[in-house]
């Protein structure tokens, strides 16, 4: 895995630890649900990660996109499938998504290095 | 199907006809891609409709949500699966999504009447 | 209280009951946190409701605005304070907020009828 | 002009009067700038109204769209030009804009009745 | 105060000076209202800064968040209060806010170095 | 032209090539329409670029803003006109636009170096 992937992971972990060190119930519970929402259910994990990816894409959150790209790869999503998600996201969300698509593909390639 | 579903369909068709009666290439092409994006590919139609639904949900577009609810039902999406999509959408997009979830469930119930 | 307030309350309760009748953990937990987030803490309930109001305003969710207007009134927020929140929200979120401000003030007046 | 146009105008005026009856400087000044921003400058009024229209469209504010449609018509914008703005807005903002485009065209037709 | 805080301040001042050197009334007035909106009124400055912070958070503007964090600190906001604002913002705006929360807490810690 | 402009152009071209090397019809067609939407029509190219700029500004996409700034300059847009667009965008979209305005003006100045 490339450097960008490692830097992303380290910063995310470090700041999550810092945030969860504070005793705030609302914040802690949101983190907790977030872990549970993407587990196997009526829909498989893989589909849920694709849902998380397209939601992050249309809301244009680069870090959220990266997180779901990592999870998509772990769950065997192919490049062909990825581009179908990117296509739907860019269609629904508009060309304003394009710079995020560029960074998403760059991160995807970095994950595969 | 309930009245709300019919009204939605009629207005949508009437205005789409009006819009496509104007000779504007950009608008026509966007309508055209929209039809093609949700066809069978590496991902099945059903998954693509779930992607369209969650994207519409987090972008908080009631009419887009209704359209994809109709398509999800046509493709055999169950209530249990629907709620997993609503759960992920509301988690990613926040409680600001809740009023849209209420209207989505109301439309879903109306579709099943 | 005016008719609009009652209609808002009834629809909200009816649909929340419908949604919570489905056994989906993620959705149920989000509803649960939502109830807890606005309770007394380091910040008083009143301030938290003002925060909920301005967040709903800049995210332009009319139903969320109405909900927090009801709570603000219950907690003794005055018209002068309300307009300071509307002012900050419209400044931060832009004139795109204005139609929501109109509907917010209409609902506020309806609450006081 | 059709009924929808009149209803839109009446509600807007009534609520603006109500809002400006409150002595809040921030709100009053925002209303004031809003009037001045679309006056003749380096760019002509007509271009500024097209800018206001496309901004309202991509931010998906139906009432703001209606307001600028009225102003565009007053300034001689043609249907062909309107559709070029709608095309750019839907391209940049995505298919999520489509329901707003439908309502925009409906209002435009109502203005011309 | 840490380096990030200084860099933020310097860039902001430099560009504001550049922007205000241009004779554009609309831009100048918006800057002017912005200064006035957060002054003491029916609501205290402290509450207004919390409102500015949560609005910036749900609209996901890192620079706006940083600006209000500086002002919150100047007005004696505690870490416990900060996290209650972050909790409400993340609840209302969704997990899409999380990366902004991480950067907000990092900047807060940098301010306290 | 300054370094920032060159870096922007290079990254954009490199990633566009990478994205278009994948055989995905939806993505390719969106890229294709994007090229065609800003060509001469009922509205001149110059006006269309101003529309693209203000849409990018209110949707707060820095890379999209930069792209349209380059095109605006190519089409002879003056600083006075630019600031009228920035003024309308910041008014409609709110002070949340300000950090994007700062970066837009910085890039504009870099283009003119």
């Amino acid at each position: 895995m490339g450097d960008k992937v490692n830097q992303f992971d380290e910063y995310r972990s470090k700041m999550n630890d810092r945030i969860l060190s504070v005793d705030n119930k609302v914040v802690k519970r949101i983190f907790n649900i977030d872990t549970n929402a993407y587990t196997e259910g009526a829909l498989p994990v893989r589909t849920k990660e694709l849902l998380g990816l397209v939601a992050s894409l249309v809301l244009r959150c680069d870090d959220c996109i990266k997180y779901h790209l990592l999870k998509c790869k772990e769950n065997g999503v192919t490049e062909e499938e990825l581009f179908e998600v990117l296509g739907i996201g860019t269609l629904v969300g508009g060309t304003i998504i394009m710079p995020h698509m560029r960074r998403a593909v760059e991160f995807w390639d970095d994950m595969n290095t």
Side-chain angles (χ1 to χ4, degrees), chain A:
Chain A
M1 293 237 173
D3 275 2
K4 280 187 192 168
V5 180
N6 289 332
Q7 278 167 32
F8 171 77
D9 258 354
E10 273 169 42
Y11 178 75
R12 196 175 164 276
S13 296
K14 185 186 73 177
M15 292 315 301
N16 282 5
D17 288 349
R18 165 70 178 95
I19 287 167
L20 293 172
S21 76
V22 174
D23 189 31
N24 181 290
K25 259 192 198 170
V26 175
V27 171
K28 283 188 175 176
R29 285 192 191 177
I30 296 172
F31 271 76
N32 205 263
I33 304 180
D34 196 33
T35 308
N36 293 327
Y38 298 97
T39 53
E40 196 79 14
L43 294 170
V45 173
R46 204 172 182 275
T47 303
K48 288 187 173 180
E49 287 301 335
L50 296 176
L51 293 172
L53 177 61
V54 86
S56 303
L57 191 70
V58 297
L59 289 176
R60 299 164 47 207
C61 173
D62 287 331
D63 281 355
C64 311
I65 293 169
K66 286 175 185 172
Y67 177 78
H68 288 291
L69 283 174
L70 283 166
K71 291 290 174 186
C72 281
K73 196 174 153 56
E74 271 177 43
N75 285 283
V77 171
T78 66
E79 184 169 299
E80 201 182 347
E81 290 170 324
L82 171 68
F83 271 75
E84 294 192 358
V85 177
L86 296 177
I88 288 176
T90 310
L91 183 67
V92 174
T95 54
I96 214 82
I97 307 292
M98 278 183 176
H100 303 275
M101 196 189 344
R102 285 185 200 107
R103 289 189 285 269
V105 173
E106 187 187 28
F107 192 80
W108 177 263
D109 288 346
D110 204 53
M111 279 187 343
N112 293 305
T113 309

